[in-house]
Amino acid sequence: MKKKTTGAARVIVWVFASVWLLVCLIPLTQIISVNFSTADRGLASTFWPNSLSAGIENIRDAVDQTGILPSSAQTLIFVSFTIVCMLLVSALAAYELACFRFPGRNLLFFIILSSMMLPMIVYVIPLYRFVHGLSLSDTLVGLAIPFIPLAFSVFIIRQFLESIPKELIEAAEIDGAGHFTIFFRIILPLMAIPLLTVTVIEFMQIWGSFLWPTLVSGTKWKPLSVLLAGLLGDGSFLTGRVKIAALLISGLPPVIVYLIFQRYIVDGIATSGLKG
Amino acid sequence: MPDISALEPLTQKRGIARFFRKYGKHYLGLAPFFILFAVFILGAMIYGIAMSLTDWSTKANAVTEFIGLENFKNVLTDETQVGRRFLTSLKNLFFFVILAVPLNIIIATLLSLIVNQFRGRAYRFFRSAFFLPYVAPFFLATGVWLWLMSPGSGAAWTLFAKLNIGADVSWRTTPGYFLALLLMVDLWRAIGFNMIILTAGMKNIPQELYEASMIDGATTFQQWRRITLPMLEPVLFFVIVNGFIGAVQVYDIPWVLSNSSTLGTIGGKSAFASYPVMEIVGNVYSGKAGNLGTACAEGVVLMMIIMAITLIQIIWRSRKMREEA
């Protein structure tokens, strides 16, 4: 795949790419630089870190003053619980839709596809009252509910299962394995890649979800998005450095997950966009 | 032939039983997803549409009554406080959407054309780096930019002030500048997402087209215009439709930006910094009579806007394709 590009175009391409690279990275590296620098430096003119101990001090202040640790733990529990439920439900649905033929299959898949475009604002208010009425607001289940039937996840897993040889299932059926035994014993272990793809993408999405958590969270459950959105108000009594340390802690998990699993994320988002 | 009609009910019954023996397990496997979806998503949506015609409220032991289109009247006139705020938020939304969506698509397309010029390691590096802002949760993105743009001390604020842009204002509390700040945060974060989809779309374009055009002596820019962009049309269409649906529901970033003591309430006292979803959520918490009915009606209005925009795009595209065919 060799492509000749003219010299002028080459220069333009490099210039634009470098400028945008700076735009993307500087705000993020600035958080690290400022957090790990001593308090006597101006916040605006700090472009590199100079003190590890000051950074640790800032993080300790953030932990002491904001309640960010329990909130992080809750967010982790909330996100993991949601993803496990969502994967079970959608993997099973994808298994039926991809591996078998039965009346209504195409219609059901069409419903799933079109619900990918369904705007959340349409159902979120009545759903909130509904969940509230079931006394599930401010609980783990209440937080997780709207994220569990996720069309995107069914779509990605189904896409993958289409390529699995059906003989695998037929052979297991001849051996007398039950329908759901085949799913748990044979198909589920093969799905590692799509399951991982959905997991990492949804980890980032749900970690940063705000509209639903603001509605149902209360005194018991307070995900990081709700906590941080409150802290960022200018009425907050916290100093700039503490806020930045809090941002660093709360934003780190999705970034780390991305840096480790970026291949899956990029591929997953690309497929959903191309086939949609 | 003997009398068959007498046997029919029996075979029919057997037919149903056989049908379920044969296919029942498949519906059982689909049941968890579809029951949750039907109850919590579809059911909630239909309930919300129905309740937009009532004076449903959060007040304890209030009787909910059917009031017809009263909510829609209230929400869409400037005679009520709720209506004034909602109309202002729709006006704000209009300016946000017509700026955010085109800017996002144009920059994302340019970036993907640029990224696509690289090969191997450089290609993967730039693509990953440009996607990084999208990975940062909205509160991180908004927090960083609020700090970079804080009046008097922020690095980006100082830069703009040197260019004589907003040198004496606090962006988050000044109308106009608020929109600029919102666009800054939103675009910084969201462009990477579209860029990923567009670069993947470009990878699917057959390489032979470029090779053939190179023999004909086409320049890179000609290749972009004549091959890449036309071949990318379906992907671009998805990105645009999706972009509109997302932009109309903008919520989290302006919420944080307008969470300022100077503004008094979220969205500002005159709603200059408010967007429709913020108004809807605000109504849920207002505790006024009929507040939930009002919120539902506003939700329905927003849903119709989204549906109208999406439909117009689909019709426009199919008409254009028919013309070309």
Side-chain angles (χ1 to χ4, degrees):
Chain A
M1 280 211 295
K2 248 175 115 180
K3 213 160 85 180
K4 252 201 353 244
T5 320
T6 53
R10 196 88 225 142
V11 172
I12 295 172
V13 160
W14 269 103
V15 168
F16 274 101
S18 316
V19 168
W20 193 258
L21 187 68
L22 292 179
V23 171
C24 286
L25 294 186
I26 285 182
L28 297 172
T29 55
Q30 274 300 82
I31 302 189
I32 298 168
S33 306
V34 165
N35 187 61
F36 289 99
S37 64
T38 44
D40 54 315
R41 297 169 103 191
L43 279 179
S45 51
T46 305
F47 290 105
W48 59 90
N50 76 345
S51 162
L52 185 64
S53 59
I56 294 169
E57 193 64 33
N58 284 332
I59 287 172
R60 198 177 296 145
D61 285 346
V63 169
D64 288 343
Q65 295 172 25
T66 59
I68 201 165
L69 276 193
S71 182
S72 303
Q74 285 184 344
T75 312
L76 202 61
I77 295 169
F78 154 52
V79 173
S80 321
F81 173 77
T82 310
I83 289 176
V84 169
C85 294
M86 181 252 290
L87 286 180
L88 258 180
V89 166
S90 51
L92 200 53
Y95 165 64
E96 303 292 358
L97 288 170
C99 303
F100 304 99
R101 314 203 142 265
F102 50 89
R105 186 181 80 136
N106 291 337
L107 175 72
L108 292 174
F109 185 59
F110 177 75
I111 294 175
I112 292 184
L113 266 191
S114 37
S115 78
M116 268 168 86
M117 289 279 187
L118 202 65
M120 192 174 195
I121 189 60
V122 176
Y123 55 82
V124 79
I125 302 302
L127 180 59
Y128 158 64
R129 292 313 292 175
F130 192 26
V131 164
H132 186 79
L134 294 170
S135 353
L136 286 174
S137 63
D138 210 9
T139 66
L140 179 58
V141 177
L143 273 170
I145 274 178
F147 300 106
I148 294 175
L150 185 75
F152 167 76
S153 161
V154 179
F155 179 77
I156 294 278
I157 300 171
R158 192 197 89 114
Q159 197 75 15
F160 172 84
L161 283 181
E162 299 264 280
S163 63
I164 279 187
K166 303 291 168 288
E167 291 78 31
L168 220 59
I169 296 168
E170 280 157 23
E173 272 171 348
I174 291 167
D175 290 346
H179 185 63
F180 295 105
T181 318
I182 297 176
F183 172 73
F184 282 108
R185 289 280 169 77
I186 298 171
I187 303 298
L188 205 56
L190 288 175
M191 289 200 271
I193 291 174
L195 292 184
L196 194 60
T197 305
V198 175
T199 303
V200 288
I201 292 177
E202 287 312 308
F203 182 87
M204 296 171 358
Q205 296 282 4
I206 303 175
W207 193 276
S209 64
F210 183 56
L211 177 55
W212 180 252
T214 32
L215 287 167
V216 291
S217 72
T219 47
K220 281 194 245 99
W221 286 86
K222 197 161 202 158
L224 282 173
S225 57
V226 179
L227 180 78
L228 264 291
L231 290 186
L232 291 172
D234 63 2
S236 158
F237 57 89
L238 298 170
T239 62
R241 275 170 202 279
V242 173
K243 282 186 192 175
I244 285 161
L247 282 178
L248 188 66
I249 303 168
S250 57
L252 218 49
V255 175
I256 291 174
V257 166
Y258 169 67
L259 292 178
I260 298 173
F261 298 106
Q262 47 172 303
R263 195 163 60 86
Y264 298 99
I265 298 178
V266 167
D267 289 351
I269 288 179
T271 1
S272 74
L274 294 186
K275 304 285 155 48
Chain B
M1 272 276 179
D3 189 7
I4 292 178
S5 63
L7 286 170
E8 222 158 40
L10 192 67
T11 49
Q12 213 169 36
K13 215 178 210 171
R14 254 199 212 143
I16 293 170
R18 203 186 310 131
F19 182 87
F20 272 102
R21 211 171 314 123
K22 193 163 171 209
Y23 297 120
K25 57 191 178 194
H26 301 313
Y27 298 117
L28 199 62
L30 286 165
F33 182 91
F34 276 97
I35 289 175
L36 285 172
F37 179 71
V39 172
F40 291 110
I41 311 290
L42 218 54
M45 183 178 121
I46 293 164
Y47 190 62
I49 294 171
M51 292 313 259
S52 69
L53 303 172
T54 69
D55 62 351
W56 192 24
S57 81
T58 40
K59 276 200 173 128
N61 54 43
V63 186
T64 304
E65 271 175 33
F66 178 81
I67 54 166
L69 294 174
E70 203 59 36
N71 284 326
F72 291 90
K73 259 186 237 157
N74 284 337
V75 161
L76 295 172
T77 83
D78 51 6
E79 277 156 34
T80 58
Q81 165 76 6
V82 177
R84 265 197 302 278
R85 284 194 72 93
F86 190 61
L87 285 179
T88 314
S89 74
L90 284 177
K91 195 187 82 201
N92 296 338
L93 182 69
F94 174 77
F95 289 114
F96 172 72
V97 169
I98 61 160
L99 287 170
V101 179
L103 281 174
N104 190 330
I105 308 282
I106 291 168
I107 301 174
T109 311
L110 282 175
L111 283 176
S112 1
L113 288 169
I114 286 168
V115 169
N116 210 32
Q117 291 295 309
F118 293 100
R119 291 286 169 267
R121 222 184 242 172
Y123 173 79
R124 284 196 300 275
F125 170 75
F126 279 117
R127 203 171 59 150
S128 300
F130 292 174
F131 188 63
L132 202 56
Y134 184 76
V135 175
F138 80 94
F139 49 84
L140 180 69
T142 321
V144 172
W145 280 100
L146 267 178
W147 163 57
L148 290 172
M149 291 300 292
S150 53
S153 64
W157 186 91
T158 317
L159 198 70
F160 280 109
K162 281 204 180 114
L163 298 169
N164 233 343
I165 303 169
D168 46 3
V169 294
S170 153
W171 290 49
R172 83 192 284 191
T173 55
T174 315
Y177 285 96
F178 182 90
L179 178 61
L181 184 58
L182 171 60
L183 284 169
M184 210 183 287
V185 184
D186 179 74
L187 291 175
W188 181 74
R189 207 175 98 75
I191 281 170
F193 178 78
N194 289 335
M195 189 263 331
I196 287 286
I197 296 177
L198 290 170
T199 46
M202 287 177 188
K203 274 272 166 286
N204 281 1
I205 300 174
Q207 201 59 34
E208 295 83 56
L209 289 176
Y210 292 105
E211 281 158 17
S213 74
M214 247 155 60
I215 295 169
D216 296 340
T219 64
T220 307
F221 295 110
Q222 279 170 333
Q223 285 180 338
W224 284 358
R225 264 195 59 208
R226 305 275 171 198
I227 303 171
T228 315
L229 291 181
M231 292 293 285
L232 206 59
E233 196 271 344
V235 184
L236 266 173
F237 181 75
F238 168 83
V239 166
I240 293 171
V241 169
N242 220 29
F244 273 108
I245 296 178
V248 171
Q249 297 181 80
V250 61
Y251 175 61
D252 41 19
I253 297 173
W255 193 96
V256 175
L257 289 181
S258 74
N259 179 15
S260 159
S261 52
T262 324
L263 298 183
T265 59
I266 294 292
K269 287 224 171 66
S270 61
F272 81 87
S274 193
Y275 288 84
V277 177
M278 293 160 74
E279 287 304 310
I280 294 174
V281 175
N283 273 325
V284 173
Y285 291 120
S286 78
K288 287 184 188 133
N291 61 339
L292 289 176
T294 310
C296 287
E298 291 175 341
V300 171
V301 171
L302 212 56
M303 175 178 79
M304 304 230 266
I305 292 173
I306 292 172
M307 273 167 53
I309 295 177
T310 311
L311 267 181
I312 288 170
Q313 293 176 89
I314 291 173
I315 292 169
W316 184 73
R317 180 182 187 226
S318 61
R319 199 173 279 172
K320 223 178 109 196
M321 282 170 91
R322 217 179 304 133
E323 271 168 22
E324 278 165 15

